Amino acid sequence: MKVEIKERKLTAGNRSLYLEYYETGFRKKENLHLYLVPDDAPNAKSLNERTYNRAREIQAQRILNPPTFESKKKPEENQRAKTMTWLGWCDEYLQCAIEKGDCKKMVQHKGVVRKRIAAYLKRANRTDILLKEVDRDMVSGLFRYMREYRNPRQIKTDGGKLADFTLVLFEETVKAIFNKAVREGLIPFNPIQDLAKEERFHVPDKHREYLTADELKRFLAVKTGTQAERTVQKAFGFSCMTGLRLGDMQRLRWSDIKDTGEVLMVSIVQQKTGRPVTVPLNELAISLLPPRPENGEDTIIFPLVKKPDNVAKYVRRIKEKAGIEKDFTYHSSRHSAATLAITAGAELYSVSKILGHGSIVSTQVYASVNMEKKAEAVNLANGIFG
């Protein structure tokens, strides 16, 4: 069996690495969750060489111990493929998501995707189209339909036009539906692969404000005037190290801080997504924690003011004292966590898990940070905030 390392270009400019297995009449891919930074990024040569070395190690292991891939029936031999409709497969995909325990919001999202596909097929008078008959033209038409679709509940916001990220996540879900069908032997390949770049949706080049390492040091060094202001300052710094959202920080209790004996970590179920996330704490994050009370596991760690607007007021007050001219909010701490980690060399896949993203597409936007700003953040490490 031939095992080769391959690259796949991502929309944000990074490249992902995967293994391709090949024998006569057989080809299989394995995603390594390893990512190369753009060649013009700071320390790109050393970072990419290290990533490639890890890929070569995995390649060597696979050559010595080849994986066994369960062979699927060819579509023409698969009896289900003869009668499976596109909508019928969407129903099975949705039911599978429910059975495997996807969070409520993710199940709702997949249900909406199924609803949009059904509406498109009804308009095209193809509601009974078989899954194996769906080609690139049919999928291209679906994507055009989504570009033209207007949400009646948001008609006052940009005329109800769907946001770029909504369209990207729609495509990711449709792609996942087809990929599962390929794995089940219902179709030979994913028709989305045949679409031209301009026919697909892309991560928007949207600026997300964040703090550099130097700016974060200045923010945390400000002498605060009140306890409420001081709590916001520490919580903001903690979020910059962990990526936790404001809503999760307002509910964070000492019982969410776990000590494994080797590392201290925060482990929660995200309020927004319902997905669990566990983040190891570095020295700065630990230093921002107040003293742990005895027998106070249910105690709120950062007793922040309830209204987000009041939290934002304190953030603005502190950043003005620090002389930071950027216009940022508390949520910018989450952007800072992602950007500082990626520009310091962390893999996109690892950062996506820290942030609790359901798809790496949501994380890719942080990989296109201005190169000059990347250089400022590269030095982020334990000890420099002392």
Side-chain angles (χ1 to χ4, degrees), residues 123-143:
R123 191 175 75 167
N125 198 26
R126 297 294 304 275
T127 53
D128 293 330
I129 185 173
L130 295 177
L131 180 64
K132 65 180 183 179
E133 295 175 346
V134 179
D135 57 14
R136 66 163 311 282
D137 292 334
M138 181 62 68
V139 178
S140 180
L142 171 64
F143 287 2

Side-chain angles (χ1 to χ4, degrees), residues 19-38:
L19 292 182
E20 185 174 84
Y21 302 87
Y22 179 76
E23 282 185 334
T24 303
F26 172 86
R27 191 182 299 272
K28 186 75 175 180
K29 297 177 182 179
E30 178 189 359
N31 188 2
L32 298 180
H33 300 299
L34 296 175
Y35 302 90
L36 304 176
V37 300

